[in-house]
Amino acid sequence: MPRVPEIILFYRDSIVRSYGQIFFSDDRGFSVLLLAVSFINPFAGMSGLLAVISVIIMAKVMGLNPAITRTGLYSYNALMLGLVMGIYFQFSLAFFVVLLLGNFVTLLITVWMAVRTSSSKVPFLSIPFILGVWVVLLSSRSLGAIQLSERGVYELNELWNFGGPVLVAAYEKINEWNVPLAFDIYLKSLSAIIFQFNIIAGSIIAIGLLVYSRIAFSLSLIGFYSGYLFCYFVQGNISELQDSYIGFNFILTALGLGGFFLVPSSKSYLLVALSTPLVSLLIGALGTVLGVYQLPLYSLPFSLIVIGMVFTLNNRFEVKGLAPVLYQLYSPEKNLYSFWNQMERFKNDTYYHIHLPFFGEWRMSQGHAGGITHKGDWRFAWDFDIVDETGKTYRPPGKTTSDFYCYGLPVLAPAAGYVATVVDDVDDNEI
Amino acid sequence: MKKLHYERPIIQRLNVGVMNKFGTKTEYAPVTHVDGNAVKGLLAKYGSPLFVISEKTIRKTFRDANRAFKTRYPKVQFAWSYKTNYVNAVCNVFHQEGSWAEVVSGFEYQKALQNGVSGNKIIFNGPDKSMEELTMAIENNSLLHIDHLDELYMIKELATKSKKKPRVAIRVNMDTGVYPIWDRFGFNYENGQAWDAINKIILNDQMELVGLHCHIGTFMLAPSAYGLAASKLSDLALSIKKKFKKSIQYIDMGGGFASRNTLKGSYLQGMDLAPSFDSFAEEITTAILNAGFAKDELPMLVLETGRALIDDAGFLLGSVISNKRLSDGRRATILDFGVNILFTSFWYDHKISPAQEFSQYSEDSVLYGPLCMNIDVVRENITLPPLKRDDQVVVHSVGAYNMTQWMQFISLRPAIVMIDKNDKPHLIRKRETLKSIETEEVLPAYLKDFKL
C-alpha cells in the first residue's frame, strides 16, 4: 500500500482532533463520532467543518507551528464558532464570508491566548470562541446581508422536506419515548456541547464517552447532577437551565477538573462537586450582565471557573492532595495510570536516602541543639543508645561496658560512600 | 501474741580447724512472695502443689532476646516452641509479643490453629507427620520442615493433588564442634545428603523451598557452635542461589539456648554458665552477615527458642509432707511434688527456696517426692534450713518442659496459675480430678461386675 502523503495525514489529524479537543480528548474514534454527530443538524455540521478547514488553512498559510495545529488546539474554538453560526444564520454567500472573517478573529485571539497562557501553564479553553461569537453576533446586527435562520421554527416542515414521512414519523416516535426528565436533560445538555440539542445526539455522545473513558463518563454524570442538585437547593431558575441546556457547563467543568488538569482521584471528584455550584453562580451572574447586551453565555462560566481553579492549584505553596497533570496524555485513565507509575518509580528519587546507622530499635538520647553537649559547632549531632522497658540503659549491675545494652552492637553506614579516615585509638569510656 | 515459728533442733558434728557451716551463713533467702502474691495465699487458694508462671518475666525475657537479635540483624522472627510449654495462656503471651508457632506433632498443630495463629505462621517440625496432618498443613500454607526422604516423597504426592504449592524447608544436621551430633534428625550437610534433598525439591518444582532449618542441640553452653551452624546453612543458601538463581527466604536456627538451671554434675552454677542472648546473637548474626549474601537478599532469621524464654518465668510451689532420718544418718524430707510433675529434676539441680523465714542453721538433706517409687528423688543433696510438715518451698526455673512432660502417675496433676503484669493471679489450667484421668477410659460391660 503506497504511503499516504504527509499532507493528507496532517489535514486528517487537524480536522478530526479539533472535535475531540472540545471534550478534552485526542481519541480518534471518539473525535470521528463527534464529527458525525455534529451532522445530525446538517447545517451546523457543515458550517462547523468548513470553519475548521478554513482555520487550518489559515494557520498553515500564516506559518504557525504545524505540530500544534495538528493537535487541533488552534481550531477547536473556530469549530464551535462555525457550529453556532450554522445554527443561527441562513446560509448565503455573505454568511460564509463573515464566517471566514469571524474564524480569523478567533484564530488571532487563540494564538495570542495560547502564547500568553503557556508560560503560566493555564489553559484558555473556549474564551476565543466566546469573544469571536460576540464579535460576530454584535456586528451581524448591523449587517443587512446576514439573516437569522428561521430553521427550528417549523421543525416538522423541515424534517418533511429533508426526509419525507419516514423522518417525521421517526421524529415523533423519539419524542414519545418516556425518558425520565433527569436523563432527558442530561443527554440534551451533552449534545449541546456541540450544539445539537436532541436526545439522539446526546445518547450517541454518551455512549462514545463511556467507550472512550469510563472516568470521563462518570465525571460527566457527577458534574451535571451536582450542578443541578445545587440549583434545586438554592431554588434557582431551573426552567431556564432546562430550556437553554446551559447545564453543559457543568459537564465540561467536570471533565476538565476531574481528569484532565488534575489526576483523577476521590479528591478531584470532590472538587468537581464543589466547583459546579460555582459555575452555577457564574451562570446566573454573567447571564444577568450579558443579558443587557443580549449576548449569549455559552461556555463562558465553565471557562472562567476552570481557568481560575487551574491557576490557583498551579500556584500552591504546598502541593498535596490534588495532583496536577504534568504531562498531558489527553485521557483521564492514561493520566491516572501514568501518575501511579511515576509515584511507584520515582518516589524515592526526590531526595537522597539516609538510613539510621543501626538495626532494631534504639533511642535518641540527645538530638539537635540538645543542650548537654550538642552546642555550638556540634549542635547538629544525634546520639543513640538502647533502653529496656524500665528505662535503664544497662543490665544490672551496670558496672562494666558490656553490661550496657548498646555496647558491642553492629554500626551501619547511613548511606553508600567511601572510607575517608580510620580512627582506632579512642579508649572505651569509663563507667 | 503471734506464735513463734518452731524449728526442730539439729545435731551437727563440729570439725575443729576446718571450715564448717556454723561459721558460714546460708546463701538462701526465703521466697515468701512471687510477683507480689504471697506463696501461702496462692497455695491456700489453688491447692498444693501449684505451678506459678510470671507473665512479667516472660515478656521481659522475650523482649531482651528480641532486642539482642533485632539490634544485630535486620529481619528477625521468633517462633514459640510449643513442646516446651503448650498451655494456651502461655502460648498466647508469646503470640501477643509477636511470636509465630513451632509445633512438632498433629495435636500441637491443632492447638496452634485453635489459639488463633494463622496457618502460614506455623512451623511444622518433627519426623512423624501423617498424611492427614501433612494435607492439613499444606491447605493452611504452613511451613513444613522436612526431616527425611520418605516425608519428602509423601509431600510430593500430596502436592500433585492439592491446588496449593507446599512451602517447605529441609532440616540439616552438621558437625558444629559439639558432641553428640544430632544426625538422626534431618539431612546431613557434610556427606551431601542435604544438597541432594535440596536438588530433589527444586528440580521437581512441585514444592517451594522457602527455608533452611537446623536444631543443633539442647541446653547449649557454647555459642560458637551456632556460629558454625549458621555459616554452614548460609553456605547452602548461597550455593542454591548460585545454581538455581533462587533466594531462600529464611534461615531457621532452631532452639537449644541454655537456661540458667544447673545441670546435674555441673561444677559451676547454671547462672554463671549460661551464655546470654547477646552472645548467641553475636555468633549467629555475624556468621550470616559475613557469609556473602547480597544486601537485599539477606534471609530472615527465625529462632525457635523455648527453654531459654520460659524457664525462669515458671515456679513450682509445694509443701513438705514429712521428715525422715535415713539409715546412714542423712536427713530426708518428703515433698508433695516429685519427678511425676517435676520431670526436669532428672536433668537439673533445681534451686529450691523455703517460703518462710528461718534461722541461720541448715542441714544437708535429700529431697524426695510423694511417689512410692525409688527413682523419685528431687534433689540428692541440698543444704536447706530444717523444714517440718506443712512448711512450704518454692522451686525456681521450672517453666520449660515440666508442664508438657509431667506424668499422669499416682498423683493428680496440679493447677497452673499465671500472674499478670498487674500482679493479679489467673487460673490457666485447673487441677485435675479423677474425671480427668478416666474420661477416655472405656470399661467393657463384662468387667463391670465382680464378687470378692
Side-chain angles (χ1 to χ4, degrees):
Chain A
M1 198 169 142
R3 253 192 58 182
V4 183
E6 185 59 34
I7 189 104
I8 306 242
L9 290 177
F10 170 75
Y11 275 102
R12 177 196 71 177
D13 284 342
S14 317
I15 295 169
V16 162
R17 286 190 64 170
S18 310
Y19 287 84
Q21 279 278 0
I22 301 180
F23 276 85
F24 300 105
S25 158
D26 70 344
D27 186 76
R28 207 178 304 137
F30 186 55
S31 308
V32 168
L33 183 130
L34 289 172
L35 201 167
V37 167
S38 76
F39 274 87
I40 288 185
N41 182 331
F43 298 98
M46 272 195 285
S47 173
L49 189 58
L50 195 65
V52 171
I53 297 176
S54 63
V55 162
I56 293 173
I57 295 176
M58 281 183 224
K60 204 157 186 327
V61 161
M62 284 176 50
L64 296 177
N65 188 343
I68 301 185
T69 317
R70 206 162 169 163
T71 66
L73 191 73
Y74 288 149
S75 40
Y76 73 90
N77 282 284
L79 166 63
M80 291 196 271
L81 179 64
L83 289 169
V84 164
M85 288 181 69
I87 292 178
Y88 286 117
F89 293 114
Q90 291 271 47
F91 276 19
S92 66
L93 186 60
F95 164 78
F96 286 115
V97 170
V98 171
L99 175 67
L100 287 175
L101 293 174
N103 284 335
F104 196 57
V105 169
T106 308
L107 180 65
L108 292 179
I109 303 175
T110 303
V111 174
W112 183 81
M113 294 202 81
V115 170
R116 284 280 150 223
T117 59
S118 65
S119 51
S120 44
K121 287 195 291 191
V122 153
F124 54 85
L125 297 176
S126 32
I127 305 283
F129 152 65
I130 309 251
L131 295 173
V133 99
W134 286 349
V135 162
V136 168
L137 282 178
L138 286 170
S139 66
S140 70
R141 284 175 200 163
S142 46
L143 297 176
I146 308 296
Q147 299 290 342
L148 281 177
S149 127
E150 278 159 23
R151 294 188 295 274
V153 180
Y154 299 110
E155 265 180 7
L156 293 176
N157 276 359
E158 287 157 34
L159 285 173
W160 178 280
N161 285 339
F162 200 66
V166 177
L167 194 57
V168 176
Y171 180 75
E172 308 241 275
K173 194 116 179 281
I174 290 169
N175 276 352
E176 278 160 31
W177 284 349
N178 249 341
V179 184
L181 189 65
F183 279 144
D184 184 66
I185 300 181
Y186 164 73
L187 291 173
K188 287 189 181 158
S189 301
L190 197 55
S191 69
I193 298 180
I194 49 173
F195 303 96
Q196 292 300 313
F197 313 113
N198 64 70
I199 205 168
I200 296 288
S203 312
I204 300 177
I205 297 178
I207 294 172
L209 194 59
L210 179 61
V211 168
Y212 146 66
S213 161
R214 290 129 13 234
I215 296 180
F217 182 70
S218 64
L219 281 170
S220 73
L221 291 171
I222 287 176
F224 182 76
Y225 287 113
S226 63
Y228 260 77
L229 279 173
F230 177 74
C231 277
Y232 264 122
F233 171 66
V234 295
Q235 293 169 11
N237 200 340
I238 301 266
S239 54
E240 191 194 305
L241 286 174
Q242 288 172 355
D243 293 332
S244 62
Y245 308 115
I246 203 77
F248 74 80
N249 278 281
F250 302 142
I251 299 177
L252 288 175
T253 309
L255 292 181
L257 288 179
F260 187 77
F261 295 109
L262 299 170
V263 173
S265 68
S266 52
K267 294 199 179 81
S268 78
Y269 274 53
L270 191 63
L271 183 70
V272 162
L274 294 173
S275 304
T276 44
L278 295 176
V279 173
S280 173
L281 281 180
L282 218 57
I283 291 174
L286 289 173
T288 315
V289 169
L290 294 172
V292 174
Y293 300 95
Q294 293 177 342
L295 285 175
L297 266 186
Y298 291 136
S299 48
L300 185 59
F302 140 73
S303 303
L304 291 177
I305 292 293
V306 172
I307 291 174
M309 275 288 186
V310 172
F311 183 76
T312 311
L313 291 171
N314 280 347
N315 283 288
R316 286 181 280 180
F317 180 68
E318 230 191 310
V319 178
K320 56 179 182 181
L322 294 161
V325 168
L326 297 170
Y327 183 76
Q328 189 56 253
L329 294 169
Y330 288 95
S331 150
E333 274 82 0
K334 285 188 200 156
N335 285 338
L336 179 61
Y337 300 149
S338 159
F339 175 70
W340 283 346
N341 199 24
Q342 280 167 33
M343 283 294 111
E344 193 58 42
R345 285 174 69 195
F346 300 120
K347 63 180 177 216
N348 287 331
D349 283 5
T350 54
Y351 55 89
Y352 192 69
H353 238 205
I354 299 202
H355 305 267
L356 290 171
F358 43 74
F359 292 126
E361 209 175 274
W362 293 52
R363 171 189 77 157
M364 187 186 293
S365 51
Q366 203 190 156
H368 281 182
I372 308 170
T373 51
H374 295 176
K375 303 192 261 207
D377 281 344
W378 296 273
R379 64 189 182 281
F380 296 125
W382 287 357
D383 290 353
F384 297 100
D385 62 15
I386 298 181
V387 285
D388 60 21
E389 305 84 52
T390 58
K392 289 217 273 293
T393 54
Y394 53 86
R395 236 169 269 120
K399 296 242 173 74
T400 60
T401 47
S402 53
D403 283 342
F404 282 76
Y405 294 118
C406 57
Y407 185 78
L409 289 182
V411 174
L412 311 177
Y418 294 99
V419 176
T421 337
V422 176
V423 172
D424 199 21
D425 55 359
V426 181
D427 290 331
D428 284 345
N429 290 331
E430 283 179 15
I431 305 295
Chain B
M1 181 173 141
K2 189 165 166 283
K3 186 172 174 193
L4 289 173
H5 185 240
Y6 171 73
E7 233 178 50
R8 56 178 155 77
I10 57 171
I11 297 176
Q12 192 89 41
R13 189 163 153 193
L14 187 60
N15 289 316
V16 191
V18 173
M19 274 215 299
N20 60 56
K21 290 194 184 55
F22 292 100
T24 58
K25 214 170 122 190
T26 159
E27 321 99 53
Y28 296 115
V31 176
T32 53
H33 286 72
V34 173
D35 267 8
N37 285 270
V39 168
K40 285 209 181 330
L42 287 170
L43 285 172
K45 185 166 177 198
Y46 297 103
S48 180
L50 176 70
F51 276 108
V52 177
I53 299 184
S54 160
E55 188 185 320
K56 264 195 280 202
T57 311
I58 298 181
R59 290 190 192 263
K60 177 164 193 317
T61 315
F62 183 86
R63 286 174 196 173
D64 277 345
N66 215 10
R67 189 192 319 116
F69 281 90
K70 281 217 161 103
T71 48
R72 290 181 167 84
Y73 196 76
K75 288 179 270 187
V76 176
Q77 178 65 50
F78 276 84
W80 171 242
S81 160
Y82 267 52
K83 66 182 182 294
T84 315
N85 191 320
Y86 47 60
V87 181
N88 288 338
V90 172
C91 298
N92 280 9
V93 172
F94 283 104
H95 295 318
Q96 276 189 354
E97 290 286 327
S99 241
W100 290 359
E102 183 255 326
V103 301
V104 298
S105 70
F107 96 85
E108 282 186 10
Y109 186 84
Q110 281 173 0
K111 227 170 191 283
L113 278 180
Q114 272 178 351
N115 276 340
V117 185
S118 60
N120 61 338
K121 298 194 162 84
I122 303 181
I123 299 178
F124 198 166
N125 283 327
D128 181 19
K129 304 184 187 97
S130 70
M131 283 299 245
E132 295 81 41
E133 288 159 7
L134 285 172
T135 314
M136 182 169 55
I138 294 174
E139 282 310 301
N140 288 327
N141 279 326
S142 300
L143 298 165
L144 290 164
H145 287 194
I146 301 179
D147 187 71
H148 45 77
L149 281 175
D150 289 297
E151 186 184 334
L152 202 159
Y153 299 138
M154 278 162 77
I155 298 179
K156 199 152 89 81
E157 190 190 315
L158 289 172
T160 53
K161 294 187 223 145
S162 167
K163 272 179 277 178
K164 305 203 179 171
K165 205 169 178 188
R167 297 161 70 213
V168 305
I170 58 159
R171 178 165 175 176
V172 182
N173 65 66
M174 69 270 279
D175 183 359
T176 56
V178 296
Y179 175 81
I181 304 180
W182 279 7
D183 57 355
R184 56 173 283 184
F185 298 112
F187 303 93
N188 188 260
Y189 171 81
E190 279 85 15
N191 70 6
Q193 281 175 357
W195 184 241
D196 176 55
I198 290 172
N199 275 283
K200 282 192 165 69
I201 295 174
I202 298 185
L203 289 169
N204 259 305
D205 204 33
Q206 279 163 314
M207 306 174 244
E208 203 195 330
L209 184 69
V210 292
L212 295 170
H213 172 228
C214 75
H215 188 135
I216 56 177
T218 190
F219 213 89
M220 303 289 285
L221 295 168
S224 55
Y226 282 95
L228 259 177
S231 54
K232 290 191 181 180
L233 284 186
S234 306
D235 238 4
L236 270 179
L238 289 167
S239 309
I240 296 174
K241 176 80 190 180
K242 192 160 140 210
K243 178 171 175 186
F244 299 104
K245 309 275 180 292
K246 183 181 160 56
S247 295
I248 291 298
Q249 284 175 24
Y250 64 87
I251 288 185
D252 184 342
M253 293 304 297
F257 296 162
S259 76
R260 290 193 284 192
N261 270 312
T262 310
L263 286 170
K264 274 197 183 345
S266 169
Y267 181 65
L268 290 173
Q269 293 290 308
M271 230 175 299
D272 301 326
L273 274 180
S276 62
F277 286 118
D278 288 280
S279 32
F280 287 117
E282 190 67 37
E283 281 290 332
I284 298 174
T285 57
T286 312
I288 303 182
L289 286 170
N290 291 338
F293 287 103
K295 194 179 89 150
D296 44 2
E297 285 180 2
L298 274 176
M300 177 163 77
L301 175 60
V302 177
L303 294 151
E304 297 168 356
T305 317
R307 175 193 271 114
L309 291 176
I310 188 73
D311 230 358
D312 288 332
F315 299 86
L316 176 56
L317 313 180
S319 312
V320 174
I321 296 177
S322 82
N323 280 297
K324 256 187 192 163
R325 190 165 292 284
L326 298 174
S327 61
D328 54 1
R330 279 180 305 154
R331 171 62 57 189
T333 304
I334 303 172
L335 305 162
D336 64 358
F337 58 87
V339 295
N340 56 334
I341 59 168
L342 195 63
F343 197 83
T344 53
S345 55
F346 281 134
W347 316 326
Y348 308 140
D349 282 336
H350 280 287
K351 174 174 171 189
I352 301 185
S353 309
Q356 49 278 320
E357 293 286 337
F358 46 82
S359 68
Q360 78 274 29
Y361 300 111
S362 59
E363 192 172 25
D364 281 342
S365 342
V366 182
L367 292 180
Y368 289 125
L371 308 179
C372 58
M373 311 285 283
N374 204 28
I375 54 160
D376 188 10
V377 182
V378 175
R379 280 292 292 266
E380 265 130 31
N381 187 2
I382 184 171
T383 311
L384 277 180
L387 300 165
K388 65 183 195 301
R389 185 180 167 85
D390 290 335
D391 274 346
Q392 284 151 352
V393 296
V394 175
V395 186
H396 297 256
S397 300
V398 302
Y401 291 111
N402 286 303
M403 287 166 249
T404 49
Q405 286 189 306
W406 50 4
M407 303 177 209
Q408 192 193 64
F409 183 55
I410 295 182
S411 304
L412 293 170
R413 291 188 277 208
I416 309 181
V417 164
M418 172 137 50
I419 303 181
D420 67 14
K421 302 182 283 203
N422 303 318
D423 292 351
K424 186 161 166 284
H426 299 264
L427 182 67
I428 61 176
R429 194 182 202 271
K430 294 190 202 148
R431 186 186 180 80
E432 287 191 350
T433 59
L434 181 58
K435 192 142 167 269
S436 329
I437 311 273
E438 293 198 330
T439 189
E440 304 294 342
E441 277 194 41
V442 182
L443 185 64
Y446 70 89
L447 290 171
K448 278 211 171 51
D449 298 307
F450 49 83
K451 205 158 100 179
L452 285 170

